[in-house]
Amino acid sequence: MTGPAAGARRTAAAALGLALAAALAGCGGGGGGGDDRPELSVSGAYVPQPPTPDMAAGYVTVTNKGGAADRLTSVTTPLAAEVTMHTTIGTRMKRVASLKVPADGELRLATGGDHLMLTNLTHKPKVGDKVSLTLHFASSDPIEIKVPVEPTTYRPKD
Ligand SMILES: [Cu+2]
């Protein structure tokens, strides 16, 4: 009489153990999807038509839906031999090696703040042109975008 009952208990215990293991696995893996790595997208990019033919600025917004920060480390474009990243401190521009894309946040480049400087241009971009920019990051794959050239005084609406 003890045999079958003990067997049933063992089976029940085994089933409970499996259920617990599944619940724990679900807990560890299912959190919020890609919790520990950046998930980047780019929007609102533009290049104002430059007043001089040798230099242009560039603005982009990089949105990060992931739980880990990333860094914009460089930008390349057929339009310019060199693209540098600048931040603005007071009224002075300072060149920086990278710009942080915070976790669950955004890196927003804007006039008077962080921006890209394109120098040694291959040609002067005009309103209506599209400029190809490739953004390189510390951990995410590069993102290539086609950026419109806007009037010199253009300001994006929020
Ligand atoms: Cu600058």
Side-chain angles (χ1 to χ4, degrees), residues 79-94:
L79 174 63
E82 188 178 40
V83 182
T84 52
M85 289 171 278
H86 287 191
T87 192
T88 306
I89 299 167
T91 56
R92 301 180 77 101
M93 297 194 308
K94 180 170 176 283

Side-chain angles (χ1 to χ4, degrees), residues 2-155:
T2 55
R9 273 198 301 276
R10 271 198 301 277
T11 305
L16 184 63
L18 279 175
L20 267 176
L24 287 173
C27 186
D35 272 352
D36 51 353
R37 57 189 182 78
E39 289 178 36
L40 305 185
S41 58
V42 179
S43 61
Y46 70 100
V47 168
Q49 179 175 300
T52 63
D54 45 33
M55 185 187 287
Y59 303 100
V60 301
T61 296
V62 183
T63 301
N64 184 1
K65 288 191 176 146
D70 205 341
R71 301 195 75 84
L72 177 64
T73 52
S74 69
V75 178
T76 50
T77 172
L79 174 63
E82 188 178 40
V83 182
T84 52
M85 289 171 278
H86 287 191
T87 192
T88 306
I89 299 167
T91 56
R92 301 180 77 101
M93 297 194 308
K94 180 170 176 283
R95 184 174 170 177
V96 293
S98 66
L99 291 167
K100 187 178 183 183
V101 187
D104 291 313
E106 64 177 24
L107 166 67
R108 182 184 290 241
L109 307 193
T111 48
D114 298 337
H115 57 274
L116 306 174
M117 296 279 274
L118 288 62
T119 48
N120 295 325
L121 304 186
T122 54
H123 65 278
K124 180 175 169 174
K126 295 189 307 296
V127 174
D129 289 355
K130 293 269 188 194
V131 178
S132 169
L133 294 183
T134 304
L135 312 187
H136 302 265
F137 299 94
S139 50
S140 299
D141 289 337
I143 299 176
E144 186 183 350
I145 51 173
K146 299 273 190 241
V147 177
V149 178
E150 301 284 2
T152 307
T153 55
Y154 173 82
R155 295 289 181 277

